[in-house]
Structures are given as C-alpha cells and as structure tokens.
Amino acid sequence: MPTTGGTSRTSSSTWSASVPGLPEPAIMISLRARLVRFLAKQYFRRVRPDVDPQVLRQSFEKIATRLPPARRVRVIPASIAGIDCEWLVPRGSEDAPVLYYLHGGAYVMGSSRTHRRLVSFIARAARVRALMPNYRLAPEHRFPAGLTDACTVYRRLLAQGLDPAQIAIGGDSAGGGLAMATILKLRDDGARLPACAVLLSPWLDLTGSGESMQTRAGLDPLFRAADMPATADHYCNTNELRNPLVSPLYSDVHNLPPVFIQVGDHEILLSDSTRFSDRLSAAGSGITLQTWPDMWHVFQFFIGQMPESGRAVREIAQFLRHKMRTPSPG
C-alpha cells in the first residue's frame, strides 16, 4: 500500500446483474450495492438544508441505529472534559491503541449512536479501541464550537498519559473535515500529533469549488451541488469558508502525520479528496488515496450490507495496524 504521494485504486465487483424496478446506472458493482444505492438515494431525497435540523437528526438517528454494532465489541459511555463520549472496545483490545473518530452529518446531525456500527467494525478489524465524542452541532453551535470540543477531548487523552503514537484520528464526511481541522489546530498550537489520520469521503472544501461538483453531479445518488452553499451556511459565515480550520483544503499541509483517504468516484465531493491528496504529496507528506470505482459518499457506512463496504473496512484496518503496529487478526 503506498503511503507517500501514492494513489491506490481499489476495484469493485464486476457483477452487474439488474434489479427489477430499479434504475440502470452505468455502474459495475455488486447486486447488494445496487440495492443499497437505490434505497440510500430515496432517503437522501428528503435530506435538504431547508429542513429543520431537529427533524434531520431524529430521522438519521432512527434509520442509522437499526442495526447493531459488531459482535464482541463493548459500548462504554464516558464523559471526557464534560463532553459526552462513547468508547467502543473489541474483546481483547482493552489496552490497545485508540482510533479517535469524529462522526459525519454535515455538522448538523449524527452522533456516536449513528456511527456506532461502522466504527465498531473498523475497531474490531484493526484491533484498536475507538472513542467517539459527541461534539456540539450547528446551527445552534457554529464554528468553532465542534472543533473546540474535538481538540479538548484529544488534549485530555494526552493529559491522561496516552502516547500520541498510539492514537489515530478519523472521520467521515464533515467528520473527516473536522478530523483534519483538529490536526491542523493541534499542530499550530504545538501539541503532539496523532500517528495518522483516516478520512472517509471528507468534506474539505466548504466553498464547493471542486470540479467534481459538476462532473459527478449526474452520478452522485445522495447530494446535489446546489444544496451545498446552504448546508455550509449552517456551520459558518460566508467570510469563513476559506478558513483552513473550516476548509482544510486551503491549509498549510506541511508537518502532518500520514493520511489515508477513501472516496467514491461517483460523489460530488471527490475533488475535495483528490486536490487535498495532491497538496499533501507536493508537500512531501504521507498520503494514501483510494478512489473506489462506482461508489458513493461514505459507502463504508453500509458495512455488513454490501461486500464493497467490507473490503473498504479491511483496507482501513490494514492501514491502522501498520501505522500503530497492532497485531493482524488471527
């Protein structure tokens, strides 16, 4: 697996059997993935920036918590520096390195509960324990409230004696952007940085200037480019969109830990990942970019429901085990 300036492209299944009654996108993925893609598209048609955030949160919580976490993973509530958190501890990993994971949800929804299943599978596969903070959400708590919470919990982990070389920071979508912003803030403040970062379909450019906003508009089953400005407006003011702690794409990317990115080739946020990867590579920073053919935004979320998600989680786990030197599964 390349770790510096490299791009690894993971192939998806070539099984293209059709599903009666479903549209026929020009994609070559598993039958299960085709069904999941169709159902996800129906749900996200209702997720628009003009919908009351409370309604979005309740709907997301309801649908995202239907399936249980991975087996043999304990869920342990915690309060760290006054912030509600949740530990996910696989059996035998009570003293293992930590995946500090920031959930996605466009900064307005999501929680440790909505992402419990995905993160528990990653933790179990990587032989790490995971910690998810419930950082404050917009629009009630706009930038930099969520970033402050994310940094506060990380600093408390260090104060408790945890070695930063035994911490990876991760996140998906807005959580991926927040994870990168957290690293940037910690670096600029002179704090000790985690061993690596794992970003899944990260939202790194809230200006929406990437070319994939147009080139993938007809392929993305979840998002509409026209909705992105109003979505960003929930989180920050217009004059803050290019702030590197809001949009890490515009940051100084020197002296960062190795970064691992997975992104779908069919998502309008694709350019966020490819441009950020190019900048990291040019700066000599460690970067592994996996662009998954025919996949959509945070397709890993559907772990256990389609084979592509399982393969992606195994790739994530391999990266984490390598960077934090945890044992491979028996």
Side-chain angles (χ1 to χ4, degrees):
M1 177 179 292
T3 55
T4 304
T7 300
S8 110
R9 185 174 291 273
T10 306
S11 298
S12 58
S13 170
T14 58
W15 184 16
S16 60
S18 62
V19 181
L22 300 193
E24 284 286 349
I27 53 179
M28 301 289 286
I29 57 177
S30 71
L31 181 62
R32 286 189 179 187
R34 291 170 71 87
L35 178 59
V36 170
R37 178 189 178 104
F38 174 76
L39 295 175
K41 183 175 182 177
Q42 307 315 302
Y43 173 77
F44 271 88
R45 283 178 175 174
R46 305 191 301 268
V47 180
R48 306 185 69 92
D50 57 349
V51 177
D52 184 344
Q54 291 293 345
V55 173
L56 292 177
R57 291 169 194 166
Q58 292 171 7
S59 174
F60 191 27
E61 290 278 337
K62 182 178 180 180
I63 196 169
T65 56
R66 289 178 177 174
L67 296 176
R71 296 174 58 192
R72 301 185 299 279
V73 177
R74 284 193 300 152
V75 179
I76 305 173
S79 178
I80 299 178
I83 298 169
D84 175 54
C85 300
E86 184 173 286
W87 284 99
L88 298 172
V89 184
R91 184 183 300 171
S93 299
E94 289 76 10
D95 297 316
V98 172
L99 170 60
Y100 180 49
Y101 195 92
L102 303 173
H103 68 80
Y107 294 111
V108 302
M109 59 183 178
S111 69
S112 60
R113 295 172 297 279
T114 61
H115 284 64
R116 184 181 291 165
R117 179 175 171 84
L118 168 61
V119 179
S120 68
F121 272 91
I122 295 174
R124 190 179 69 177
R127 298 287 184 91
V128 299
R129 49 191 172 134
L131 176 65
M132 284 192 287
N134 286 300
Y135 57 87
R136 286 172 288 176
L137 298 176
E140 299 92 333
H141 305 285
R142 291 158 62 83
F143 173 79
L147 175 61
T148 298
D149 290 350
C151 290
T152 296
V153 173
Y154 178 88
R155 292 177 186 276
R156 182 58 60 91
L157 292 178
L158 297 189
Q160 292 173 350
L162 196 62
D163 183 354
Q166 294 292 289
I167 303 175
I169 187 167
D172 62 281
S173 193
L178 184 59
M180 206 65 240
T182 299
I183 292 175
L184 293 168
K185 175 63 174 171
L186 293 168
R187 180 201 62 183
D188 294 346
D189 289 348
R192 294 175 295 167
L193 300 182
C196 59
V198 172
L199 312 179
L200 312 182
S201 300
W203 193 16
L204 300 169
D205 178 16
L206 272 64
T207 71
S209 62
E211 67 172 10
S212 57
M213 286 287 174
Q214 286 73 46
T215 61
R216 298 304 188 272
L219 294 173
D220 194 319
L222 308 186
F223 296 149
R224 296 165 291 269
D227 290 341
M228 301 309 286
T231 302
D233 189 57
H234 282 313
Y235 183 58
C236 66
N237 297 326
T238 302
N239 62 0
E240 295 174 309
L241 290 175
R242 288 182 176 267
N243 183 329
L245 299 181
V246 170
S247 297
L249 179 67
Y250 302 103
S251 65
D252 174 1
V253 296
H254 290 87
N255 303 316
L256 297 178
V259 177
F260 177 93
I261 300 175
Q262 286 183 340
V263 63
D265 188 55
H266 280 193
E267 54 179 298
I268 61 174
L269 293 185
L270 172 62
S271 292
D272 286 32
S273 293
T274 56
R275 289 179 295 162
F276 193 63
S277 175
D278 289 343
R279 296 201 62 223
L280 288 169
S281 181
S285 298
I287 173 62
T288 299
L289 172 66
Q290 292 187 342
T291 303
W292 285 66
D294 306 324
M295 288 292 105
W296 58 91
H297 191 68
V298 197
F299 66 95
Q300 304 87 344
F301 199 81
F302 301 98
I303 180 71
Q305 298 169 281
M306 49 185 256
E308 291 87 351
S309 299
R311 291 200 295 273
V313 165
R314 289 193 291 273
E315 294 280 349
I316 296 167
Q318 181 179 347
F319 175 82
L320 290 172
R321 289 197 305 268
H322 174 67
K323 292 302 178 184
M324 298 198 290
R325 292 175 170 76
T326 61
S328 298

